[in-house]
Amino acid sequence: MRAYQAGMSGWTDPLSPDVLLALAENLTGLSDWGGQRWDEDEFRHNFTLLCNGIEETGEVSGQGRQRSFARLLTILVSRLRYLDARKRTSGVEEQRVLAPLIGTGMPRAGTTFLHGVIAQDPDLRVARAFEAAMPVPLPGQHGDRRAQVYDALLSYQGMTDPELRAMHPYGAELPEECLFLQEGACTAFFGGFWNVPAFMAAAADKTALAYKWQIGVMQYLQADGDKRRWALKTPAHIMAWHEMRLAFPDALIYVNHRDPAKVVPSMTSLLVTLRGLYSDQAIDRAAAGREQVAVWAQAMNDYGLWRRGPGQRAQVVDINFSDLTADPLTVIANLYDSFGLTLSALARERMERHLATDHHGKGPQRRYSLAEFGMTADDIDAAFGEYIDQFGITRERGGRT
């Protein structure tokens, strides 16, 4: 636990990759970063690019430097502890991740909400945030304290600030996205926290390493004897569609869709808020909006092209946000039926109870306009029009202001 608590020590020095790697080794007493089996050279290269990028273009504030240190040190400590525990766990290499249920699609389209409801099914297994960040239990005789320690780290990094939690829920016990199961590979998703374009460009073609790392972590977690089907999720899967399906060839996949005129300003606002945890420099909101349009238009249009192509599509189900919000349990029942899964009475009861008490998306409505990020309805139609029409997506009133 001391190794993780060191991340909250108020770091003020430059984020030197060599210094941070050595510190993690000293704190854990471990030094095996994975070797060829776990692409150590790529990891070290990526981590160096990330640290250099944070220093050169991240424009981190004093508090942002402390938060960055906490996040980076957690990744390093967890990588060392996981690789050490994996070597000492019998049967881990023989574990098979079979036919996971995977959610992806447009961000801000109900993927987190739906994943949270599905997670209530006792026949499914999800990765809780604390075990994604810290796969290995902490030593000691007083029970597993990872959730307590990780909640403290989330708070230290500002992830539990009310403004951010109103946009997206963060908490140690919540079902976590696959991106955080991939974090130890040090690949491309860090652009959501820091302005690190050089790192993002270099890591763009390393998605396969991220999935290799994720499956390895899942193998280790599964070695506890819990063989339930995994329920996984992240919108980022849609941007690595082919790599994701190669990694999980028997996956049961659902894809969420929502009017991009709602998604893009909401996602851009979330990005601005996350970047603000680490930097106090103003962000060009129009440029950020254009970047989100470019990224997601390519991802969703590419998916639409694949959907129109030949081949087996039985393992992919499309879900419209308007249907999900109108009647989530019917959407889930239809999803299960499409995949031949059983929605037990107990699962339905737990889902109903969760829906009655869950506050996700039920707080004060946040309104984001296209104009706020330098965009118009015509810009959205030019980028996403074919996608919207192909999937019959409801154009939400107020989404084009």
Side-chain angles (χ1 to χ4, degrees):
M1 187 166 66
R2 181 178 67 90
Y4 290 113
Q5 290 175 327
M8 297 178 281
S9 61
W11 187 265
T12 58
D13 293 336
L15 297 167
S16 162
D18 291 338
V19 170
L20 268 59
L21 289 162
L23 177 60
E25 291 181 358
N26 290 336
L27 287 167
T28 61
L30 303 169
S31 59
D32 182 0
W33 293 99
Q36 185 176 359
R37 171 70 173 89
W38 295 106
D39 308 290
E40 178 180 343
D41 289 345
E42 287 282 2
F43 168 77
R44 287 179 177 273
H45 177 69
N46 293 348
F47 187 72
T48 297
L49 286 177
L50 179 59
C51 290
N52 291 345
I54 294 171
E55 289 293 341
E56 293 166 7
T57 59
E59 297 181 312
V60 290
S61 62
Q63 186 177 49
R65 181 174 301 281
Q66 296 172 17
R67 289 171 167 173
S68 299
F69 171 72
R71 188 167 201 91
L72 296 174
L73 187 64
T74 297
I75 292 170
L76 297 180
V77 167
S78 288
R79 181 176 174 111
L80 285 170
R81 297 187 70 243
Y82 156 66
L83 289 172
D84 177 67
R86 183 184 177 93
K87 289 184 294 187
R88 295 183 287 101
T89 302
S90 62
V92 66
E93 291 288 349
E94 288 72 44
Q95 295 294 321
R96 295 293 178 265
V97 177
L98 299 176
L101 180 63
I102 299 180
T104 187
M106 289 289 277
R108 321 302 289 164
T111 53
T112 299
F113 167 74
L114 180 54
H115 190 223
V117 180
I118 289 174
Q120 307 310 308
D121 187 342
D123 292 330
L124 298 176
R125 177 175 186 169
V126 297
R128 302 290 170 181
F130 73 84
E131 63 180 347
M134 306 173 180
V136 181
L138 299 174
Q141 304 299 317
H142 304 291
D144 192 345
R145 300 183 63 192
R146 281 178 293 173
Q148 177 184 345
V149 174
Y150 192 54
D151 263 332
L153 278 164
L154 287 173
S155 177
Y156 185 81
Q157 294 174 65
M159 304 297 286
T160 57
D161 288 356
E163 179 185 4
L164 181 56
R165 294 189 74 173
M167 297 179 178
H168 185 88
Y170 291 96
E173 296 280 2
L174 294 178
E176 190 54 281
E177 297 200 12
C178 293
L179 285 176
F180 293 87
L181 286 167
Q182 299 172 357
E183 200 169 38
C186 197
T187 51
F189 103 99
F190 295 108
F193 299 109
W194 301 285
N195 179 36
V196 285
F199 167 83
M200 294 293 288
D205 63 348
K206 298 177 181 177
T207 309
L209 297 182
Y211 285 110
K212 176 182 175 181
W213 183 265
Q214 177 181 349
I215 290 172
V217 173
M218 292 170 66
Q219 284 180 311
Y220 170 74
L221 294 174
Q222 197 171 281
D224 65 1
D226 186 345
K227 297 299 191 291
R228 290 176 297 166
R229 185 191 307 271
W230 286 90
L232 306 171
K233 166 258 175 178
T234 183
H237 285 317
I238 202 77
M239 293 189 286
W241 183 250
H242 298 291
E243 292 87 348
M244 183 263 288
R245 289 185 300 113
L246 285 173
F248 302 105
D250 57 353
L252 311 175
I253 305 167
Y254 60 90
V255 180
N256 281 36
H257 305 280
R258 188 181 184 185
D259 183 359
K262 278 289 196 181
V263 166
V264 169
S266 178
M267 186 61 194
T268 309
S269 181
L270 176 60
L271 174 67
V272 169
T273 302
L274 286 171
R275 290 272 186 90
L277 296 178
Y278 300 94
S279 175
D280 54 11
Q281 298 299 305
I283 295 176
D284 185 333
R285 299 168 79 86
R290 290 192 299 271
E291 180 182 5
Q292 293 301 305
V293 168
V295 167
W296 290 106
Q298 179 174 337
M300 302 317 296
N301 287 326
D302 285 352
Y303 170 71
L305 181 63
W306 176 87
R307 207 69 163 103
R308 294 192 299 272
Q312 177 56 255
R313 302 292 184 262
Q315 289 181 299
V316 180
V317 172
D318 294 298
I319 296 174
N320 278 344
F321 180 79
S322 55
D323 297 329
L324 178 62
T325 53
D327 192 346
L329 282 180
T330 295
V331 167
I332 291 172
N334 291 338
L335 179 68
Y336 274 50
D337 186 61
S338 296
F339 291 143
L341 303 178
T342 299
L343 181 60
S344 68
L346 178 58
R348 180 179 284 273
E349 177 187 340
R350 290 185 176 184
M351 290 176 184
E352 289 174 344
R353 191 181 310 132
H354 174 79
L355 287 168
T357 58
D358 179 40
H359 297 294
H360 180 51
K362 296 179 181 178
Q365 291 296 305
R366 298 170 299 282
R367 298 188 179 277
Y368 312 109
S369 70
L370 291 170
E372 182 181 351
F373 300 101
M375 292 175 285
T376 68
D378 288 342
D379 295 327
I380 296 298
D381 282 331
F384 293 97
E386 185 174 356
Y387 159 72
I388 293 171
D389 293 340
Q390 178 178 350
F391 293 97
I393 298 169
T394 303
R395 284 178 162 86
E396 299 176 49
R397 185 171 59 181
R400 301 187 171 275
T401 56

